[in-house]
């Protein structure tokens, strides 16, 4: 999986990320990874569901990985932040 198949979810509107995933899938990519941390996790789930239910119906959820990342803030203290990776893969038509 190359880095260009990864969509990092942040604070932009959900449809911006949906467009990024749909564009990659229509460009020939069979797998896209959604990555999000903290409050953006729910937005990543929304993106996956919107892509799956409204735009590309033959996309499936390949795997979901969750973890905790340790982030250093400006004061030098560390904070734990939840993170998620959702693999979206396109089914091959037979």
């Amino acid at each position: 999986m190359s880095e260009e198949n990864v969509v990092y979810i942040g604070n932009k509107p959900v449809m911006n990320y949906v467009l990024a995933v749909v564009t990659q899938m229509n460009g020939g990519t069979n797998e896209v990874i959604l990555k999000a941390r903290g409050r953006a996790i729910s937005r990543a789930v929304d993106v996956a569901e919107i892509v799956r239910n409204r735009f590309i119906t033959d996309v499936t959820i390949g795997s979901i990985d969750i973890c905790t990342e340790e982030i250093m803030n400006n004061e030098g203290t560390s904070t734990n932040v939840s993170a998620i990776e959702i693999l979206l893969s396109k089914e091959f038509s037979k």
Side-chain angles (χ1 to χ4, degrees):
M1 180 66 57
S2 64
E3 194 67 24
E4 61 204 27
N5 296 344
V6 177
V7 176
Y8 293 96
I9 308 297
N11 293 326
K12 292 180 182 175
V14 172
M15 291 310 290
N16 289 22
Y17 301 111
V18 170
L19 179 63
V21 172
V22 170
T23 301
Q24 285 191 5
M25 291 281 187
N26 288 339
T29 302
N30 292 323
E31 292 183 337
V32 175
I33 294 180
L34 302 175
K35 289 188 177 186
R37 291 195 300 207
R39 294 182 184 151
I41 290 174
S42 64
R43 191 171 289 115
V45 173
D46 291 344
V47 169
E49 289 300 303
I50 290 171
V51 168
R52 215 167 54 99
N53 294 324
R54 291 192 197 164
F55 290 95
I56 307 175
T57 56
D58 61 343
V59 166
T60 59
I61 307 287
S63 66
I64 299 172
D65 296 325
I66 57 172
C67 64
T68 302
E69 297 179 2
E70 192 170 325
I71 306 291
M72 293 293 272
N73 61 13
N74 295 339
E75 291 84 39
T77 60
S78 62
T79 305
N80 290 332
V81 177
S82 299
I84 192 169
E85 292 184 10
I86 303 172
L87 174 65
L88 299 176
S89 56
K90 193 184 283 190
E91 295 176 352
F92 297 105
S93 56
K94 296 176 182 171

